Amino acid sequence: MSKTLKMLAIDLGASSGRGIVGKFDGNKITLEETHRFTNDPVNLNGALYWDMLKLFTEIKHAISNCVLSEDKDIRSISIDTWGVDFGFLDASGQLIGNPYNYRDPRLTHELMNELFRIIPKEELYKITGTQFLNFNSIYQLFSFKDRPYILENAKDMLFVPDLLKYFLTGTKQTEYTIASTSQLLDAKSRSWAWDVIDKLGFPKSMFGNIVQPGTSAGKLLPHVLDEVGSIDAEVISCASHDTASAVVAVPSQDDDFVYISSGTWSLMGKEIPEPLTGDLAYKYDLTNEGGTDGKIRFLKNIMGLWIEQESRRQWAREGEKISFDALSDMAMASKPHACFINPDDLVFQTPGNMPRRIQEFCKRTGQYVPETKGEIVRCIFDSLAMCYRSTVERIDAITGKKAPFINIVGGGTKEVPLCKLTADACGRPVYTGPVEATALGNIAVQAIALGEIKDTKQAREIIANSFEISYFEPHDTAMWDESYERFKKIVEISKQ
């Protein structure tokens, strides 16, 4: 290539967002953060929403920062976000209210069970191959049964990255990887599960055509250019689900690898050519989500560092502001395996006093009750590492092949102690990095769409050569083997 290719990734997480310029010189990719902002859910009359207008304003700021800098020659822009959440457009193309947040309290197991009386749970899994999470789009849509006027006035349903892309370009698209988080896609045909949609009475007209990662949405609208300044950039659909983008950036040169996209959530899985929806996959509740190059992301959603993050927020509310590094040091100085939690217990899903919930869980399950901050965080770390072990063993069993190593990518790689504990618990080597996996995957798909990188495999080679990767060998595996049976019993007790 004759000159450096510049691309803007808008990477939106559940607590913050960034504008990141990726630069590809033909050999390596570099990243530069040009704008950062908070993403604060809004609690209004007991309901939890996303502030979509603020997010759109911040995206325009990120683009404007490029216009006012040496990056005004960016070739493309793409947006990735968390999954499942969506907004509605009316017949005139206007937004019908702010989208609900997936942690909204209306999304309960009772609501799920009501839906299963219409479509049996096992039948739904055989069609969609999707993990049963109470906040999946299917249950969010089903919750509107008591307010039918909302669906009656909705002409289009767009997932969050598609909605923001529409605001920029006026183009309505439904990108495959983000749609695959909804539990409304047929896993095998990779299109809408129309039988499911019909049985639940959802308006079929809301569901738009599905496009693959790398599809262009066109240029910025004139009124957007009036606000951000003159820029000739094409808006491209990357792998719009942030986990799908992160998986693109896993720097493995082996096709058979298990990954953990580690952050607020831990998404653990592997790429497979076709979905797996058999009895064992159903029993273990793994999900089949869309990836790039025709691959399926066969994975488990695990409550991740959210539990530590929310604990830290609680201590800050009590007047003690402590860094993550200090909490990690306290944790590793505490006794290992003193107690465990089930990270996926719904008690840990919503905001609130997380340290107290951990203590109550341990008391309820007849364990040592952690008292200090170090003991609480060590309990979180040990429990997550055990949960990763359980998940990787189940993936091995379903796919019929033991993965030789684990790649951890994303912000969670900064928690080095947890990465080491993961190697110990799982009894296999762990590679960590890059930290900015989601933004890198976003950038890589843009470069592929622009014809500068051949495919995902080449993108991974370039990423591996562009960023430092760390390596951890497993140690103390006998201690983890001994405690693993106790952890499994605790998880079973918590489900009763």
Side-chain angles (χ1 to χ4, degrees):
M1 56 192 304
S2 58
K3 58 181 292 187
T4 298
L5 174 66
K6 299 179 184 178
M7 300 151 284
L8 175 63
I10 304 295
D11 177 25
L12 292 182
S15 59
S16 65
R18 289 98 46 80
I20 297 178
V21 173
K23 300 178 182 180
F24 178 51
D25 65 4
N27 296 301
K28 292 186 176 183
I29 297 174
T30 58
L31 299 178
E32 180 183 356
E33 183 180 297
T34 60
H35 186 54
R36 176 179 283 268
F37 50 94
T38 61
N39 181 13
D40 303 303
V42 179
N43 192 324
L44 181 63
N45 294 331
L48 205 60
Y49 300 91
W50 296 111
D51 190 345
M52 201 56 49
L53 304 185
K54 177 198 171 186
L55 293 178
F56 183 53
T57 298
E58 297 290 1
I59 289 171
K60 288 186 287 186
H61 284 323
I63 298 171
S64 183
N65 286 350
C66 291
V67 174
L68 298 173
S69 73
E70 63 180 15
D71 298 323
K72 59 187 175 183
D73 55 343
I74 58 169
R75 286 266 309 278
S76 58
I77 302 166
S78 197
I79 303 169
D80 67 77
T81 78
W82 64 96
V84 306
D85 291 337
F86 53 83
F88 295 120
L89 302 177
D90 65 17
S92 63
Q94 296 299 315
L95 181 65
I96 304 177
N98 270 316
Y100 280 96
N101 183 298
Y102 64 85
R103 296 190 190 275
D104 184 77
R106 82 191 191 285
L107 303 171
T108 64
H109 273 298
E110 288 74 18
L111 183 72
M112 296 174 71
N113 289 332
E114 187 176 344
L115 185 147
F116 297 149
R117 286 193 283 273
I118 301 172
I119 304 177
K121 187 175 181 180
E122 187 169 2
E123 178 185 335
L124 184 60
Y125 186 83
K126 293 294 183 184
I127 296 169
T128 67
T130 305
Q131 183 179 350
F132 293 97
L133 299 168
N134 63 301
F135 48 73
N136 287 346
S137 314
I138 190 172
Y139 310 114
Q140 296 201 42
L141 281 171
F142 191 62
S143 74
F144 290 113
K145 60 187 172 54
D146 297 328
R147 289 167 290 168
Y149 55 88
I150 294 179
L151 295 185
E152 289 170 2
N153 288 284
K155 182 179 183 295
D156 298 287
M157 183 189 82
L158 293 177
F159 297 97
V160 170
D162 297 324
L163 186 64
L164 293 166
K165 186 174 57 179
Y166 164 74
F167 291 163
L168 288 175
T169 66
T171 300
K172 298 173 186 176
Q173 292 178 339
T174 301
E175 191 274 324
Y176 169 56
T177 69
I178 199 77
S180 71
T181 68
S182 67
Q183 206 167 12
L184 287 162
L185 284 192
D186 184 305
K188 294 178 181 176
S189 71
R190 310 189 190 197
S191 58
W192 294 116
W194 293 117
D195 287 348
V196 171
I197 290 167
D198 281 338
K199 287 181 180 179
L200 296 175
F202 300 152
K204 294 173 71 173
S205 58
M206 290 193 314
F207 300 91
N209 293 330
I210 294 172
V211 303
Q212 291 297 313
T215 302
S216 172
K219 303 285 187 173
L220 298 176
L221 289 166
H223 71 263
V224 174
L225 288 171
D226 287 343
E227 293 185 67
V228 303
S230 179
I231 193 164
D232 185 29
E234 184 177 1
V235 179
I236 292 171
S237 286
C238 62
S240 300
H241 184 212
D242 51 12
T243 306
S245 276
V247 172
V248 171
V250 173
S252 175
Q253 299 309 296
D254 191 320
D255 291 335
D256 183 35
F257 62 88
V258 165
Y259 60 82
I260 303 175
S261 177
S262 178
T264 300
W265 286 89
S266 292
L267 297 308
M268 186 173 195
K270 69 187 304 181
E271 287 185 321
I272 57 177
E274 297 294 336
L276 293 171
T277 59
D279 293 342
L280 201 55
Y282 170 70
K283 176 184 176 181
Y284 292 145
D285 196 20
L286 272 78
T287 199
N288 294 268
E289 295 179 357
T292 56
D293 295 349
K295 297 289 182 64
I296 294 291
R297 292 177 292 122
F298 186 61
L299 63 90
K300 182 80 170 179
N301 287 268
I302 301 166
M303 202 81 69
L305 289 168
W306 157 261
I307 303 175
E308 182 195 15
Q309 294 162 357
E310 193 63 14
S311 295
R312 181 172 176 262
R313 278 188 281 270
Q314 179 61 33
W315 290 321
R317 287 191 285 267
E318 295 171 356
E320 297 183 79
K321 294 186 176 181
I322 310 166
S323 70
F324 283 114
D325 286 343
L327 287 174
S328 293
D329 290 343
M330 293 177 192
M332 298 313 290
S334 300
K335 182 181 177 180
H337 304 182
C339 52
F340 297 104
I341 58 171
N342 175 7
D344 291 325
D345 193 301
L346 286 180
V347 73
F348 303 120
Q349 182 174 301
T350 55
N353 191 329
M354 202 65 73
R356 185 172 64 196
R357 294 179 197 176
I358 291 170
Q359 291 168 331
E360 290 173 349
F361 180 98
C362 291
K363 184 177 181 180
R364 174 165 57 87
T365 52
Q367 301 182 84
Y368 171 75
V369 178
E371 296 295 335
T372 68
K373 295 177 181 63
E375 288 177 335
I376 288 170
V377 176
R378 182 64 195 240
C379 175
I380 295 169
F381 283 179
D382 285 349
S383 301
L384 284 174
M386 285 295 197
C387 200
Y388 298 155
R389 172 172 175 163
S390 173
T391 302
V392 74
E393 288 182 354
R394 290 175 173 183
I395 291 171
D396 290 343
I398 296 167
T399 59
K401 187 175 182 181
K402 181 177 179 178
F405 53 86
I406 297 170
N407 284 92
I408 305 179
V409 298
T413 59
K414 296 177 183 178
E415 284 286 11
V416 174
L418 178 57
C419 296
K420 291 180 178 178
L421 295 179
T422 300
D424 297 343
C426 296
R428 57 193 93 188
V430 166
Y431 295 89
T432 66
V435 174
E436 298 291 357
T438 302
L440 274 168
N442 180 319
I443 291 294
V445 172
Q446 291 186 62
I448 293 169
L450 294 170
E452 299 295 346
I453 293 177
K454 180 182 177 182
D455 54 19
T456 301
K457 185 173 181 63
Q458 186 184 28
R460 287 175 176 154
E461 293 174 1
I462 293 166
I463 289 167
N465 291 328
S466 301
F467 296 89
E468 182 179 353
I469 308 300
S470 298
Y471 176 79
F472 301 101
E473 281 277 1
H475 298 93
D476 303 321
T477 54
M479 178 181 73
W480 286 89
D481 291 344
E482 183 179 343
S483 296
Y484 185 46
E485 295 305 317
R486 181 159 55 92
F487 168 76
K488 289 194 291 186
K489 289 178 182 177
I490 294 300
V491 170
E492 289 306 312
I493 292 171
S494 73
K495 293 178 179 179
Q496 296 174 2

